[in-house]
Amino acid sequence: MTTATITTTRQSTTPSATPATSATPDTPATPATGAVRLAHGDGWFTVCDRGLLTPGRGVSVLLPDGDQAAVFLDRSGRVHAVGNRDPFTGAYVLARGLLGSAGGRPFVASPLLKQRFDLATGACLDDEDVSVPVFAVRVE
């Protein structure tokens, strides 16, 4: 098994300074190169280079406050980010989940109990009372 180390840096730009890429199916694919940044706290947090992401796969990212995000590149070329913690088990595993779509909307299915989470809204498609956080994403 190959592992990769992703070095992250904190940027001081405010999240409202430039628009984030939307995680909706209508959004065009993100650029093939550039830094992937998540809105976090009062700024944008650089997590990796877009070229390090593999379509259909996720990566786990450690955030400055100790929380984790799961970052995905879907097969359409869009980058999405949600909280990495599976709310049904408490395990930080969503980055290892399977990507799919339901009604044209992308989701990640937990690798443990297979609940599906909408990548745009964080809503669980299998239990309307459960959701995961969603992070605004941009590629620069």
Side-chain angles (χ1 to χ4, degrees):
M1 181 165 118
T2 304
T3 58
T5 302
I6 298 175
T7 305
T8 58
T9 57
R10 175 78 173 163
Q11 303 293 325
S12 61
T13 319
T14 61
S16 60
T18 57
T21 58
S22 170
T24 63
D26 300 333
T27 303
T30 56
T33 61
V36 175
R37 303 178 78 202
L38 304 184
H40 185 70
D42 61 352
W44 289 93
F45 182 70
T46 302
V47 296
C48 68
D49 185 83
R50 160 66 176 72
L52 293 175
L53 299 176
T54 302
R57 299 273 177 111
V59 296
S60 179
V61 176
L62 183 61
L63 301 172
D65 63 1
D67 201 5
Q68 293 182 25
V71 179
F72 300 95
L73 176 64
D74 69 20
R75 297 203 185 273
S76 298
R78 289 183 211 88
V79 179
H80 307 272
V82 297
N84 195 33
R85 184 179 174 274
D86 179 340
F88 290 94
T89 64
Y92 289 85
V93 296
L94 291 183
R96 294 183 174 265
L98 300 173
L99 294 186
S101 65
R105 298 192 55 91
F107 69 78
V108 60
S110 172
L112 298 178
L113 301 177
K114 308 301 184 244
Q115 284 88 358
R116 300 167 300 152
F117 298 94
D118 186 299
L119 290 174
T121 66
C124 180
L125 303 178
D126 304 300
D127 185 338
E128 63 186 33
D129 296 329
V130 179
S131 65
V132 294
V134 175
F135 296 91
V137 176
R138 68 182 185 193
V139 178
E140 302 180 319

